[in-house]
Amino acid sequence: MHEFKIDVTLDASLPFVFAAFHEPEYLSEWFAPGDCSVTQIMSDFKEGGRYRIKMMEPSGIEMSLTGEYVTILANEQLSFSWAWEDDIEESVMTSVDIHFEKTEENNARLVLIQQGFLNKQECDQHNYAWMSCLEKLAVLAAKKKSFS
């Protein structure tokens, strides 16, 4: 099994960063890599609740991501299962575990681990996609901060 870890600090408040991982108004702004966009979010944000997020590539190809929330500790931890509905990937189900913490500078640090990939190529693709998404989240955080 393959996994990756991302450790990043965002210039944003911890409550905002945690909310950005589950509030549809924020997710729709950043939770799709590169030029992809979020077209639909359905979420029952509670432990045991399910989510489904549809994304669209610029070419019009749609992808749907689905899973279940496993652990929700406000501003501390978020864990959920992750599966693509298209069955294109060899890995059927992976898991995402994110730990959040406030830094001394009042920024938000997050450590994200996604694991359960059957091959290195899928693992690397998801790592790259998360980095792309987190760049968008950083831009959203900067915009939000400038309006506060």
Side-chain angles (χ1 to χ4, degrees):
M1 292 286 186
H2 297 270
E3 69 176 57
F4 64 87
K5 177 180 178 179
I6 298 172
D7 186 334
V8 64
T9 299
L10 298 170
D11 184 16
S13 73
L14 182 58
F16 168 76
V17 173
F18 186 79
F21 275 85
H22 66 88
E23 293 288 344
E25 67 181 285
Y26 298 139
L27 279 171
S28 63
E29 295 285 322
W30 72 272
F31 201 80
D35 294 333
C36 295
S37 60
V38 174
T39 57
Q40 184 182 51
I41 298 171
M42 293 180 285
S43 175
D44 183 15
F45 190 67
K46 65 182 182 193
E47 290 184 0
R50 298 200 51 82
Y51 71 90
R52 185 169 186 253
I53 300 173
K54 288 179 87 171
M55 300 174 212
M56 185 183 298
E57 295 180 354
S59 65
I61 295 173
E62 282 192 321
M63 307 160 280
S64 293
L65 171 66
T66 187
E68 182 176 308
Y69 297 107
V70 178
T71 305
I72 300 172
L73 298 172
N75 301 325
E76 291 180 30
Q77 183 183 5
L78 180 60
S79 300
F80 48 93
S81 60
W82 175 290
W84 293 103
E85 293 182 344
D86 59 20
D87 295 330
I88 291 174
E89 294 187 344
E90 188 180 349
S91 303
V92 178
M93 179 81 64
T94 60
S95 64
V96 177
D97 187 36
I98 309 166
H99 290 268
F100 302 83
E101 77 179 55
K102 183 171 147 182
T103 68
E104 290 178 19
E105 297 80 27
N106 281 333
N107 290 330
R109 175 180 178 221
L110 66 91
V111 178
L112 181 151
I113 298 172
Q114 188 168 4
Q115 57 190 352
F117 295 101
L118 295 176
N119 64 63
K120 186 171 176 1
Q121 180 183 357
E122 285 176 18
C123 184
D124 290 346
Q125 287 171 340
H126 281 79
N127 189 2
Y128 175 79
W130 271 111
M131 291 302 293
S132 173
C133 289
L134 292 171
E135 287 173 11
K136 287 181 172 182
L137 178 55
V139 169
L140 176 63
K143 273 196 271 186
K144 178 109 174 98
K145 206 169 194 176
S146 68
F147 287 119
S148 297

